[in-house]
Amino acid sequence: MFRIYIFLFTAAFIFSGVKAQTAREELVPVKQLIPDIAMDLKYNTTDNFTHQKLYTIDEAYLALGAVLKLKIVQDSLRKITSHNGISYPRGIGLKIYDAYRPRAVQYLMFEIFPNPIYVADPASGSVHNRGGAIDVSLIDYATGAELQMPTVFDWFGEEASHDYTNLPANVIANRLLLKTMMTQVGGFTLYTSEWWHYTYSPASGYPLLDFQMK
Ligand SMILES: [Zn+2]
């Protein structure tokens, strides 16, 4: 009998250990951990390249590991009160355009715009479908106004690329600030073709999800 108890105790311990290791890939609402983050979820409106409202709720989800990194970025941005000659009395903040995206939505997007440079093929899936990609910009936290970036979100052209330089100096400085904070402070990986898209590298091995946000 005693041996059975030992076995059960050990099994429970191992199980909880495994659970702790996988917690970082669990989807969590971003606002729960970063209450001061701004949201402008474009796919919850018709103001996106599909001209359709694709989400049913105005809530961004990401893998826990990605949210923890994003919080470090947000907290660091809030401490920046001056950038490129402009003062930001309440700091700078992140604004989310998109985060976790159900795989069914990926199929619909690819049907409308089957260009894998800008819309990942749902057969292999996007890191958005794994809860590890985020589309973001920067705002003046005091006014909520977006810092000027090279293009609007989901601009499918060379102007959206990090390599595009035919831009005013302040726009390049803003894009560079976002890039530096996301990659060097948050450890995210950039995507050359889209200034707004960043990925949390461990998520490339996470499962493709079709959890519907309700
Ligand atoms: Zn993206």
Side-chain angles (χ1 to χ4, degrees), residues 121-164:
D121 187 337
S124 46
S126 161
V127 187
H128 281 290
N129 309 141
R130 302 173 194 275
I134 181 158
D135 300 327
V136 277
S137 191
L138 297 174
I139 59 161
D140 174 344
Y141 198 82
T143 65
E146 289 183 30
L147 271 64
Q148 203 185 344
M149 289 293 178
T151 68
V152 293
F153 170 60
D154 271 354
W155 178 270
F156 299 148
E158 63 170 343
E159 297 85 353
S161 166
H162 278 281
D163 296 334
Y164 189 76

Side-chain angles (χ1 to χ4, degrees), residues 40-204:
D40 184 10
L41 301 184
K42 296 293 190 187
Y43 302 127
N44 191 44
T45 72
T46 54
D47 178 24
N48 64 67
F49 75 96
T50 71
H51 307 295
Q52 297 177 45
K53 188 177 180 311
L54 302 175
Y55 295 164
T56 50
I57 60 157
D58 204 29
E59 181 112 69
Y61 284 81
L62 271 180
L64 174 63
V67 180
L68 294 173
K69 293 287 185 185
L70 203 62
K71 181 165 172 50
I72 300 169
V73 175
Q74 173 77 356
D75 291 347
S76 305
L77 281 165
R78 291 296 310 276
K79 295 189 181 96
I80 298 176
T81 52
S82 174
H83 163 66
N84 203 40
I86 298 173
S87 98
Y88 296 95
R90 296 187 63 199
I92 294 173
L94 292 166
K95 176 185 258 193
I96 300 181
Y97 294 133
D98 195 26
Y100 162 70
R101 180 189 304 157
R103 202 174 177 195
V105 170
Q106 194 70 32
Y107 275 99
L108 181 67
M109 288 178 169
F110 196 70
E111 210 176 286
I112 293 168
F113 197 78
N115 178 340
I117 293 175
Y118 299 109
V119 180
D121 187 337
S124 46
S126 161
V127 187
H128 281 290
N129 309 141
R130 302 173 194 275
I134 181 158
D135 300 327
V136 277
S137 191
L138 297 174
I139 59 161
D140 174 344
Y141 198 82
T143 65
E146 289 183 30
L147 271 64
Q148 203 185 344
M149 289 293 178
T151 68
V152 293
F153 170 60
D154 271 354
W155 178 270
F156 299 148
E158 63 170 343
E159 297 85 353
S161 166
H162 278 281
D163 296 334
Y164 189 76
T165 55
N166 186 19
L167 296 163
N170 69 312
V171 173
I172 289 178
N174 292 342
R175 180 180 67 190
L176 183 61
L177 176 64
L178 178 61
K179 174 184 157 183
T180 305
M181 298 302 286
M182 289 297 285
T183 60
Q184 292 181 22
V185 177
F188 289 88
T189 303
L190 68 80
Y191 178 52
T192 307
S193 301
E194 298 176 342
W195 62 261
W196 58 82
H197 178 97
Y198 289 88
T199 55
Y200 169 66
S201 299
S204 52

Side-chain angles (χ1 to χ4, degrees), residues 11-31:
F13 184 76
I14 290 169
F15 179 71
S16 66
V18 168
K19 219 178 156 195
Q21 280 172 2
T22 55
R24 279 175 187 268
E25 64 185 74
E26 282 172 22
L27 291 180
V28 292
V30 177
K31 276 250 181 198

